[in-house]
Amino acid sequence: MTPPPAGAPHRLPRHVAIVMDGNGRWARKRLRPRTFGHHAGQKAVRNAIEFCLRRGIAALTLFAFSSENWQRPEDEVGALMELFLKALDREVDELHGHGVRIRFVGELAAFAPALASRMRAAMDKTAANTKLMLNIAVNYGGRWDIAQAAARLARAAQAGEIAPDQIDERSLAPYLCLADQPPVDLFIRTGGEQRVSNFLLWQIAYAEIYFSATLWPDFDAAAFEQALADYAGRERRFGKTSAQIAAGNG
Ligand code: IPE
Ligand code: IPE
Ligand code: MG
């Protein structure tokens, strides 16, 4: 195997974030209710986690439920909550066995107590694991994330820990979700839509973006592999010139 050229960026992303979209359309194509698509999507979640473990990807962040998804019909929201609850009961031990650290990111207080407490239990149980950082974004919004970080930084300023005119990107960054993890290298959205839908905003400032037409329940290892191949072919310049990157000043 030829080694990557000197100064080449990481060819394997350390952190992949995925907007798992297209469950509803997958079900409609089969003349089934939308919730059938959400059920089918769970297998794709398992595949993606297994794939990251196998390929040695350090962090995987999955968008499972946005702060806007509460606006869906009540029965669909109810079915999704039921699905999350069952998935937690079913999957946590196995993920723990594989060394996966589970973290839920988002405003967890909005969930029913039974669900919120299971989420906390899963995080506590797997907190010391190091094989894969699995972040599940639920009731998450990129704008919410920035606002909650600003609120916490304001409290630090009020406590005299930082002066308001010292505030810059570096002082805000630690308060954002996922601050303790590698930067998001690769942002994937399945289902064909080409938008961010209020998922990670700050964190994807320099992520490579990959849109796949594949509907989420069909997103398998081969599809993930294709996204990685596309990523490996990108030149990440971070504002520099191609010549600088080639010269190893990247
Ligand atoms: C994504 O699939 C899953 C969630 C938002 C929970 P959708 O349910 O948005 O599926 P489409 O986009 O309607 O096909
Ligand atoms: C984004 O998908 C949210 C998740 C995948 C959890 P949506 O289906 O809600 O996004 P929009 O509404 O089409 O932008
Ligand atoms: Mg959708």
Side-chain angles (χ1 to χ4, degrees), residues 130-147:
T130 54
K131 264 266 160 93
L132 170 69
M133 294 181 264
L134 173 64
N135 310 296
I136 304 173
V138 283
N139 192 22
Y140 178 89
R143 289 174 173 171
W144 163 82
D145 192 357
I146 294 169

Side-chain angles (χ1 to χ4, degrees), residues 19-25 34 69 72 189 193 195 197:
V19 180
M20 309 184 288
D21 195 27
N23 293 348
R25 281 163 284 162
R34 293 177 56 80
N69 287 148
R72 292 192 177 192
R189 181 174 185 139
E193 308 292 0
R195 55 179 173 254
S197 299

Side-chain angles (χ1 to χ4, degrees), residues 80-100:
L80 280 166
M81 295 301 139
E82 185 69 25
L83 212 103
F84 294 153
L85 202 64
K86 286 196 179 139
L88 276 165
D89 285 344
R90 202 180 51 230
E91 311 283 349
V92 171
D93 285 341
E94 195 184 331
L95 291 171
H96 184 49
H98 284 108
V100 176

Side-chain angles (χ1 to χ4, degrees), residues 17-31:
I18 310 182
V19 180
M20 309 184 288
D21 195 27
N23 293 348
R25 281 163 284 162
W26 187 91
R28 198 174 58 204
K29 272 174 43 179
R30 288 160 181 78
L31 308 175

